[in-house]
Amino acid sequence: MAAGVNPSDSSLAAIISSSEYDGELSRCADRVRRENYSDEVYLRGLIEVSSYCKNNCYYCGLRAGNANALRYRLSKDEILAVCEEGYGLGFRTFVLQGGEDPSFTDSFICDVVSSIKSSFPGCAVTLSLGEKDYSSYKSYRDAGADRYLLRHETADQKHYSMLHPESMSLSRRKECLFALKELGYQVGSGFMVGSPYQSVENIVSDIRFLQELSPDMIGIGPFVHHWSTPFRDFENGSAELTVRLVAVLRLLFPYSLIPATTSLATIAEENRKKALLSGANVIMPNLTPLKVRKKYELYDRKLSSSLESAQALDGIRRMLEEIGYRAVQSRGDVKRQTTNNNLI
Ligand code: SAM
Ligand code: SF4
């Protein structure tokens, strides 16, 4: 697959189906990322603000129906204290992620966002708090939120209904994503690789949907099962396929911010490097207070120490240097002005 070429559905399907490591694909993706982002890897401080969720996605350990889940939510003061620590460590983007926690009202979220923006000048705030009304998204934006991450999860209606209960819908998810774009957020979307019942055609549809949305950030990671969810017996997604898809996404979206995700590193730490060498240009070290970190359990064996932890920054920098990249903690906004080969 060449840079700047939009492959047909059948060519994409062939790339996705191949079981071999494609060194040329990774090298080509790395060339394109270097043309657009040089050797920079942006570090974002991840703060997992609540493990309460009103939803029941079948794959996620935070789902409301998981009676075994341990729940916590951070207060405004706790979130600001974490930001202060992160700011001291050099972070200039904070990602506030959590379940859809009804206790996190719009006014609370706006208060937290505006306090972060005024207390820590020059920082970007990214929210990842799920589906909200247009007016709520607008109020967060007015309070200063810069970016929003909301994976579409799967762009196929039937597949979506196999991963979620009837109360959730793909059309609502898409509506949220287009609303976020309209409001001027830098928007991130994405999907799980190897989620239960996923077909090669589903992944092709995911890529086509991303081309329609044209997001600034694209997060993909393998599905990893959680012992206390309806999907406990399903195999984990493939790390090899995830890395190959990172390369494909880099070629199709040269300007985009693509993280080497935690779920990928959860399967094996080496995968993080492979993703970086195949076009990924973001890492999100975890700043969540250690006393609650283990309670944010989306899937089994989530990394919460070693290189995943923001407190291990030196290790992250060294790892990046070893493979030819440079850790950058500036805001790291998307570089839309560069060549956009996102052909439709
Ligand atoms: N609640 C918000 C939402 O759903 O957008 C944000 C938090 S949610 C935990 C963030 C992402 O975690 C989801 O978009 C989903 O793709 C991912 N996730 C949840 N369970 C997972 C699993 N078992 N394996 C891999 N990723 C998972
Ligand atoms: Fe809640 Fe998000 Fe998990 Fe779904 S993926 S159960 S919305 S935290």
Side-chain angles (χ1 to χ4, degrees), residues 156-176:
D156 181 89
Q157 185 70 55
K158 187 153 170 266
H159 188 217
Y160 194 92
S161 69
M162 294 165 113
L163 303 181
H164 304 92
E166 262 181 37
S167 53
M168 299 178 74
S169 76
L170 178 59
S171 55
R172 162 92 173 130
R173 198 82 178 170
K174 289 184 174 177
E175 217 175 83
C176 288

PDB file of all heavy atoms in Angstrom, residues 156-176:
ATOM      1  N   ASP A 156     -20.474  -0.590  11.781  1.00  0.00           N
ATOM      2  CA  ASP A 156     -21.499  -1.460  11.210  1.00  0.00           C
ATOM      3  C   ASP A 156     -22.648  -1.602  12.220  1.00  0.00           C
ATOM      4  O   ASP A 156     -22.440  -2.039  13.355  1.00  0.00           O
ATOM      5  CB  ASP A 156     -20.896  -2.829  10.893  1.00  0.00           C
ATOM      6  CG  ASP A 156     -21.914  -3.752  10.273  1.00  0.00           C
ATOM      7  OD1 ASP A 156     -22.036  -3.747   9.039  1.00  0.00           O
ATOM      8  OD2 ASP A 156     -22.604  -4.479  11.033  1.00  0.00           O
ATOM      9  N   GLN A 157     -23.828  -1.241  11.729  1.00  0.00           N
ATOM     10  CA  GLN A 157     -25.024  -1.232  12.580  1.00  0.00           C
ATOM     11  C   GLN A 157     -25.246  -2.562  13.311  1.00  0.00           C
ATOM     12  O   GLN A 157     -25.455  -2.608  14.524  1.00  0.00           O
ATOM     13  CB  GLN A 157     -26.220  -0.939  11.654  1.00  0.00           C
ATOM     14  CG  GLN A 157     -27.530  -0.773  12.330  1.00  0.00           C
ATOM     15  CD  GLN A 157     -27.560   0.524  13.139  1.00  0.00           C
ATOM     16  OE1 GLN A 157     -27.308   1.609  12.599  1.00  0.00           O
ATOM     17  NE2 GLN A 157     -27.829   0.413  14.429  1.00  0.00           N
ATOM     18  N   LYS A 158     -25.158  -3.655  12.527  1.00  0.00           N
ATOM     19  CA  LYS A 158     -25.450  -4.971  13.111  1.00  0.00           C
ATOM     20  C   LYS A 158     -24.383  -5.332  14.150  1.00  0.00           C
ATOM     21  O   LYS A 158     -24.685  -5.806  15.248  1.00  0.00           O
ATOM     22  CB  LYS A 158     -25.464  -6.005  11.970  1.00  0.00           C
ATOM     23  CG  LYS A 158     -25.902  -7.361  12.396  1.00  0.00           C
ATOM     24  CD  LYS A 158     -26.514  -8.123  11.236  1.00  0.00           C
ATOM     25  CE  LYS A 158     -26.719  -9.579  11.611  1.00  0.00           C
ATOM     26  NZ  LYS A 158     -25.596 -10.427  11.217  1.00  0.00           N
ATOM     27  N   HIS A 159     -23.125  -5.060  13.783  1.00  0.00           N
ATOM     28  CA  HIS A 159     -22.034  -5.356  14.718  1.00  0.00           C
ATOM     29  C   HIS A 159     -22.173  -4.504  15.981  1.00  0.00           C
ATOM     30  O   HIS A 159     -21.959  -4.980  17.098  1.00  0.00           O
ATOM     31  CB  HIS A 159     -20.675  -5.110  14.027  1.00  0.00           C
ATOM     32  CG  HIS A 159     -19.508  -5.550  14.837  1.00  0.00           C
ATOM     33  ND1 HIS A 159     -18.316  -4.865  14.866  1.00  0.00           N
ATOM     34  CD2 HIS A 159     -19.345  -6.595  15.692  1.00  0.00           C
ATOM     35  CE1 HIS A 159     -17.476  -5.475  15.688  1.00  0.00           C
ATOM     36  NE2 HIS A 159     -18.072  -6.520  16.187  1.00  0.00           N
ATOM     37  N   TYR A 160     -22.563  -3.238  15.783  1.00  0.00           N
ATOM     38  CA  TYR A 160     -22.733  -2.345  16.949  1.00  0.00           C
ATOM     39  C   TYR A 160     -23.735  -2.949  17.934  1.00  0.00           C
ATOM     40  O   TYR A 160     -23.518  -2.944  19.157  1.00  0.00           O
ATOM     41  CB  TYR A 160     -23.211  -0.951  16.491  1.00  0.00           C
ATOM     42  CG  TYR A 160     -23.084   0.091  17.572  1.00  0.00           C
ATOM     43  CD1 TYR A 160     -21.942   0.880  17.696  1.00  0.00           C
ATOM     44  CD2 TYR A 160     -24.111   0.270  18.520  1.00  0.00           C
ATOM     45  CE1 TYR A 160     -21.808   1.811  18.709  1.00  0.00           C
ATOM     46  CE2 TYR A 160     -23.986   1.201  19.534  1.00  0.00           C
ATOM     47  CZ  TYR A 160     -22.830   1.969  19.618  1.00  0.00           C
ATOM     48  OH  TYR A 160     -22.699   2.885  20.636  1.00  0.00           O
ATOM     49  N   SER A 161     -24.815  -3.510  17.385  1.00  0.00           N
ATOM     50  CA  SER A 161     -25.860  -4.057  18.264  1.00  0.00           C
ATOM     51  C   SER A 161     -25.421  -5.363  18.935  1.00  0.00           C
ATOM     52  O   SER A 161     -26.049  -5.822  19.882  1.00  0.00           O
ATOM     53  CB  SER A 161     -27.163  -4.261  17.491  1.00  0.00           C
ATOM     54  OG  SER A 161     -26.973  -5.321  16.580  1.00  0.00           O
ATOM     55  N   MET A 162     -24.343  -5.947  18.469  1.00  0.00           N
ATOM     56  CA  MET A 162     -23.826  -7.158  19.131  1.00  0.00           C
ATOM     57  C   MET A 162     -22.854  -6.798  20.264  1.00  0.00           C
ATOM     58  O   MET A 162     -22.512  -7.640  21.090  1.00  0.00           O
ATOM     59  CB  MET A 162     -23.106  -8.045  18.109  1.00  0.00           C
ATOM     60  CG  MET A 162     -24.063  -8.603  17.059  1.00  0.00           C
ATOM     61  SD  MET A 162     -23.155  -9.263  15.661  1.00  0.00           S
ATOM     62  CE  MET A 162     -23.541 -10.988  15.845  1.00  0.00           C
ATOM     63  N   LEU A 163     -22.402  -5.552  20.271  1.00  0.00           N
ATOM     64  CA  LEU A 163     -21.449  -5.106  21.302  1.00  0.00           C
ATOM     65  C   LEU A 163     -22.110  -4.265  22.387  1.00  0.00           C
ATOM     66  O   LEU A 163     -21.496  -4.009  23.433  1.00  0.00           O
ATOM     67  CB  LEU A 163     -20.321  -4.267  20.672  1.00  0.00           C
ATOM     68  CG  LEU A 163     -19.486  -4.887  19.554  1.00  0.00           C
ATOM     69  CD1 LEU A 163     -18.408  -3.901  19.092  1.00  0.00           C
ATOM     70  CD2 LEU A 163     -18.835  -6.191  20.020  1.00  0.00           C
ATOM     71  N   HIS A 164     -23.347  -3.816  22.092  1.00  0.00           N
ATOM     72  CA  HIS A 164     -24.016  -2.888  23.016  1.00  0.00           C
ATOM     73  C   HIS A 164     -25.464  -3.293  23.229  1.00  0.00           C
ATOM     74  O   HIS A 164     -26.081  -3.871  22.342  1.00  0.00           O
ATOM     75  CB  HIS A 164     -23.987  -1.454  22.448  1.00  0.00           C
ATOM     76  CG  HIS A 164     -22.613  -0.947  22.143  1.00  0.00           C
ATOM     77  ND1 HIS A 164     -22.022  -1.073  20.905  1.00  0.00           N
ATOM     78  CD2 HIS A 164     -21.696  -0.336  22.925  1.00  0.00           C
ATOM     79  CE1 HIS A 164     -20.803  -0.558  20.942  1.00  0.00           C
ATOM     80  NE2 HIS A 164     -20.569  -0.112  22.156  1.00  0.00           N
ATOM     81  N   PRO A 165     -26.023  -2.895  24.381  1.00  0.00           N
ATOM     82  CA  PRO A 165     -27.454  -3.155  24.589  1.00  0.00           C
ATOM     83  C   PRO A 165     -28.308  -2.234  23.721  1.00  0.00           C
ATOM     84  O   PRO A 165     -27.804  -1.266  23.152  1.00  0.00           O
ATOM     85  CB  PRO A 165     -27.645  -2.831  26.086  1.00  0.00           C
ATOM     86  CG  PRO A 165     -26.517  -1.932  26.453  1.00  0.00           C
ATOM     87  CD  PRO A 165     -25.379  -2.247  25.537  1.00  0.00           C
ATOM     88  N   GLU A 166     -29.607  -2.532  23.669  1.00  0.00           N
ATOM     89  CA  GLU A 166     -30.517  -1.773  22.781  1.00  0.00           C
ATOM     90  C   GLU A 166     -30.577  -0.290  23.093  1.00  0.00           C
ATOM     91  O   GLU A 166     -30.868   0.525  22.222  1.00  0.00           O
ATOM     92  CB  GLU A 166     -31.932  -2.348  22.908  1.00  0.00           C
ATOM     93  CG  GLU A 166     -32.271  -3.323  21.808  1.00  0.00           C
ATOM     94  CD  GLU A 166     -33.680  -3.847  21.958  1.00  0.00           C
ATOM     95  OE1 GLU A 166     -34.569  -3.080  22.358  1.00  0.00           O
ATOM     96  OE2 GLU A 166     -33.864  -5.048  21.679  1.00  0.00           O
ATOM     97  N   SER A 167     -30.290   0.049  24.343  1.00  0.00           N
ATOM     98  CA  SER A 167     -30.371   1.469  24.733  1.00  0.00           C
ATOM     99  C   SER A 167     -29.300   2.322  24.056  1.00  0.00           C
ATOM    100  O   SER A 167     -29.365   3.552  24.105  1.00  0.00           O
ATOM    101  CB  SER A 167     -30.231   1.592  26.250  1.00  0.00           C
ATOM    102  OG  SER A 167     -29.045   0.914  26.658  1.00  0.00           O
ATOM    103  N   MET A 168     -28.317   1.684  23.437  1.00  0.00           N
ATOM    104  CA  MET A 168     -27.252   2.458  22.786  1.00  0.00           C
ATOM    105  C   MET A 168     -27.347   2.259  21.270  1.00  0.00           C
ATOM    106  O   MET A 168     -27.700   1.180  20.813  1.00  0.00           O
ATOM    107  CB  MET A 168     -25.871   2.003  23.281  1.00  0.00           C
ATOM    108  CG  MET A 168     -25.708   2.208  24.780  1.00  0.00           C
ATOM    109  SD  MET A 168     -24.114   1.635  25.394  1.00  0.00           S
ATOM    110  CE  MET A 168     -23.018   2.913  24.792  1.00  0.00           C
ATOM    111  N   SER A 169     -26.996   3.305  20.509  1.00  0.00           N
ATOM    112  CA  SER A 169     -27.111   3.150  19.055  1.00  0.00           C
ATOM    113  C   SER A 169     -25.943   3.806  18.322  1.00  0.00           C
ATOM    114  O   SER A 169     -25.386   4.811  18.774  1.00  0.00           O
ATOM    115  CB  SER A 169     -28.429   3.753  18.553  1.00  0.00           C
ATOM    116  OG  SER A 169     -28.336   5.154  18.534  1.00  0.00           O
ATOM    117  N   LEU A 170     -25.628   3.214  17.183  1.00  0.00           N
ATOM    118  CA  LEU A 170     -24.549   3.743  16.352  1.00  0.00           C
ATOM    119  C   LEU A 170     -24.907   5.136  15.832  1.00  0.00           C
ATOM    120  O   LEU A 170     -24.051   6.025  15.762  1.00  0.00           O
ATOM    121  CB  LEU A 170     -24.276   2.777  15.192  1.00  0.00           C
ATOM    122  CG  LEU A 170     -23.204   3.194  14.193  1.00  0.00           C
ATOM    123  CD1 LEU A 170     -21.853   3.410  14.863  1.00  0.00           C
ATOM    124  CD2 LEU A 170     -23.072   2.134  13.083  1.00  0.00           C
ATOM    125  N   SER A 171     -26.188   5.334  15.503  1.00  0.00           N
ATOM    126  CA  SER A 171     -26.566   6.637  14.947  1.00  0.00           C
ATOM    127  C   SER A 171     -26.345   7.736  15.987  1.00  0.00           C
ATOM    128  O   SER A 171     -25.870   8.826  15.666  1.00  0.00           O
ATOM    129  CB  SER A 171     -28.011   6.632  14.441  1.00  0.00           C
ATOM    130  OG  SER A 171     -28.846   6.221  15.473  1.00  0.00           O
ATOM    131  N   ARG A 172     -26.654   7.436  17.238  1.00  0.00           N
ATOM    132  CA  ARG A 172     -26.437   8.432  18.304  1.00  0.00           C
ATOM    133  C   ARG A 172     -24.929   8.719  18.456  1.00  0.00           C
ATOM    134  O   ARG A 172     -24.509   9.859  18.619  1.00  0.00           O
ATOM    135  CB  ARG A 172     -27.027   7.880  19.602  1.00  0.00           C
ATOM    136  CG  ARG A 172     -26.539   8.531  20.866  1.00  0.00           C
ATOM    137  CD  ARG A 172     -27.431   9.679  21.304  1.00  0.00           C
ATOM    138  NE  ARG A 172     -27.036  10.188  22.607  1.00  0.00           N
ATOM    139  CZ  ARG A 172     -26.824  11.466  22.875  1.00  0.00           C
ATOM    140  NH1 ARG A 172     -26.958  12.367  21.929  1.00  0.00           N
ATOM    141  NH2 ARG A 172     -26.490  11.844  24.088  1.00  0.00           N
ATOM    142  N   ARG A 173     -24.140   7.649  18.390  1.00  0.00           N
ATOM    143  CA  ARG A 173     -22.683   7.803  18.513  1.00  0.00           C
ATOM    144  C   ARG A 173     -22.155   8.728  17.412  1.00  0.00           C
ATOM    145  O   ARG A 173     -21.379   9.635  17.649  1.00  0.00           O
ATOM    146  CB  ARG A 173     -22.059   6.391  18.394  1.00  0.00           C
ATOM    147  CG  ARG A 173     -20.657   6.243  18.906  1.00  0.00           C
ATOM    148  CD  ARG A 173     -20.654   6.048  20.396  1.00  0.00           C
ATOM    149  NE  ARG A 173     -19.328   5.863  20.928  1.00  0.00           N
ATOM    150  CZ  ARG A 173     -19.048   5.872  22.230  1.00  0.00           C
ATOM    151  NH1 ARG A 173     -19.991   6.059  23.133  1.00  0.00           N
ATOM    152  NH2 ARG A 173     -17.820   5.698  22.652  1.00  0.00           N
ATOM    153  N   LYS A 174     -22.613   8.459  16.183  1.00  0.00           N
ATOM    154  CA  LYS A 174     -22.160   9.275  15.038  1.00  0.00           C
ATOM    155  C   LYS A 174     -22.619  10.725  15.181  1.00  0.00           C
ATOM    156  O   LYS A 174     -21.877  11.655  14.885  1.00  0.00           O
ATOM    157  CB  LYS A 174     -22.687   8.686  13.729  1.00  0.00           C
ATOM    158  CG  LYS A 174     -22.011   7.380  13.328  1.00  0.00           C
ATOM    159  CD  LYS A 174     -22.532   6.940  11.968  1.00  0.00           C
ATOM    160  CE  LYS A 174     -21.795   5.728  11.449  1.00  0.00           C
ATOM    161  NZ  LYS A 174     -22.328   5.256  10.164  1.00  0.00           N
ATOM    162  N   GLU A 175     -23.887  10.866  15.626  1.00  0.00           N
ATOM    163  CA  GLU A 175     -24.429  12.216  15.841  1.00  0.00           C
ATOM    164  C   GLU A 175     -23.512  12.994  16.795  1.00  0.00           C
ATOM    165  O   GLU A 175     -23.190  14.158  16.565  1.00  0.00           O
ATOM    166  CB  GLU A 175     -25.791  12.049  16.513  1.00  0.00           C
ATOM    167  CG  GLU A 175     -26.881  12.984  16.138  1.00  0.00           C
ATOM    168  CD  GLU A 175     -28.161  12.515  16.845  1.00  0.00           C
ATOM    169  OE1 GLU A 175     -28.346  12.856  18.014  1.00  0.00           O
ATOM    170  OE2 GLU A 175     -28.941  11.763  16.217  1.00  0.00           O
ATOM    171  N   CYS A 176     -23.092  12.339  17.876  1.00  0.00           N
ATOM    172  CA  CYS A 176     -22.210  12.985  18.862  1.00  0.00           C
ATOM    173  C   CYS A 176     -20.906  13.409  18.187  1.00  0.00           C
ATOM    174  O   CYS A 176     -20.419  14.528  18.397  1.00  0.00           O
ATOM    175  CB  CYS A 176     -21.890  12.025  20.014  1.00  0.00           C
ATOM    176  SG  CYS A 176     -23.274  11.743  21.114  1.00  0.00           S
TER     177      CYS A 176
END
